[in-house]
Amino acid sequence: MDWRGFAQQMASMARDLLAEQTLDATLGQITSSAVELVDGCDASGILVLRRGRVSSVAPTEQLVTDSDRLQESLREGPCFDAARPEISERVFRIPDFTEDPERWTSFVPRCRELGVGSMMGFLLYTREEELGALNMYSRKPGAFTEDSETAGWLLASHAAVAFSSALSDSQLQEALATRHTIGEAMGILMGRHHITEDQAFEILRTQSQRTNTKLREVARRVCETGAVDQ
């Protein structure tokens, strides 16, 4: 492993991640960097576990999505475990899918049928958050070495910081957009019905509760139609 060259590539990746403008672009940069920088990696993706449900984020190939779905249906697998906060391990590796597995005995033979030869899973984390797992796949058995695992862990550690930062920015942008939409809807209701700001907000809130619809969606409909749906 050319660690000097790897360090230079990691520095370049870090600059690229900082330059990304959206959460999707950041996550796509993370998974494409895994394929580019980690020896043996043919495909990569991020598995996010929320409330027991799995989402495949920024997969570089369909193979990644198929593996994530398989892990969810079986409730086992290295990346599934890496994303669970109650599991103490943070790095998982299945060196050879052609060998009889000692762990994940249901997942390994099924994943082998997808064409996977070896894989690794890394927890994506910052000091305060556990966000999910970075998956790396190879079609060749035994493709991932100790150096590959070290490189993957270093990449995942850097990626988690960028992931957390991009997620915070995305949430802030969404919050600002929601605030703007609600404010615009309140202005429409105030002008049409000659009511106060508090009364306009109460109309939106009541409609949201009555229809079990998010407040932002109720506001968006008011902005589009000029009235609250009946």
Side-chain angles (χ1 to χ4, degrees):
M1 182 76 180
D2 177 12
W3 289 110
R4 182 179 179 84
F6 178 79
Q8 292 173 337
Q9 290 176 305
M10 285 287 292
S12 177
M13 181 201 75
R15 289 192 294 270
D16 291 342
L17 286 174
L18 289 174
E20 297 294 357
Q21 299 297 313
T22 67
L23 177 60
D24 287 345
T26 297
L27 301 182
Q29 181 67 37
I30 290 171
T31 55
S32 62
S33 294
V35 176
E36 180 182 355
L37 299 180
V38 178
D39 288 345
C41 183
D42 294 323
S44 180
I46 295 170
L47 179 152
V48 176
L49 182 64
R50 293 191 183 98
R51 299 178 182 176
R53 300 195 64 179
V54 167
S55 299
S56 296
V57 180
T60 62
E61 293 188 17
Q62 182 63 36
L63 171 68
V64 176
T65 303
D66 293 340
S67 172
D68 289 347
R69 289 174 178 169
L70 182 60
Q71 291 187 69
E72 180 179 30
S73 66
L74 298 174
R75 312 303 290 179
E76 70 169 53
C79 300
F80 188 87
D81 282 0
R84 293 168 58 187
E86 70 269 21
I87 301 295
S88 59
E89 294 176 82
R90 293 299 180 258
V91 179
F92 298 86
R93 178 154 58 107
I94 302 178
D96 190 342
F97 273 74
T98 63
E99 297 179 351
D100 292 334
E102 296 181 1
R103 298 177 65 181
W104 309 302
T105 54
S106 297
F107 169 73
V108 170
R110 295 279 300 278
C111 197
R112 182 168 57 227
E113 295 174 359
L114 298 176
V116 176
S118 51
M119 71 179 295
M120 300 188 292
F122 302 87
L123 181 71
L124 285 177
Y125 66 95
T126 64
R127 295 179 65 180
E128 298 179 355
E129 296 178 282
E130 293 184 335
L131 304 171
L134 177 63
N135 316 340
M136 299 183 194
Y137 298 85
S138 176
R139 293 182 176 84
K140 297 179 181 179
F144 294 127
T145 64
E146 293 294 333
D147 282 351
S148 298
E149 184 174 312
T150 300
W153 179 81
L154 289 170
L155 188 150
S157 298
H158 281 74
V161 176
F163 189 177
S164 180
S165 176
L167 185 61
S168 297
D169 289 344
S170 177
Q171 290 171 333
L172 176 60
Q173 292 171 6
E174 182 177 355
L176 291 174
T178 297
R179 182 177 179 180
H180 175 78
T181 302
I182 292 173
E184 184 177 349
M186 289 169 58
I188 292 172
L189 294 176
M190 290 166 64
R192 169 165 290 194
H193 301 291
H194 305 290
I195 57 178
T196 67
E197 184 175 304
D198 288 344
Q199 289 172 325
F201 181 79
E202 183 62 22
I203 290 174
L204 295 175
R205 187 186 67 81
T206 300
Q207 177 70 358
S208 173
Q209 293 178 340
R210 185 179 68 82
T211 61
N212 194 28
T213 305
K214 290 184 178 180
L215 186 62
R216 179 180 179 178
E217 179 62 19
V218 172
R220 185 188 64 80
R221 292 174 184 172
V222 171
C223 292
E224 290 179 350
T225 65
V228 174
D229 294 339
Q230 299 299 319

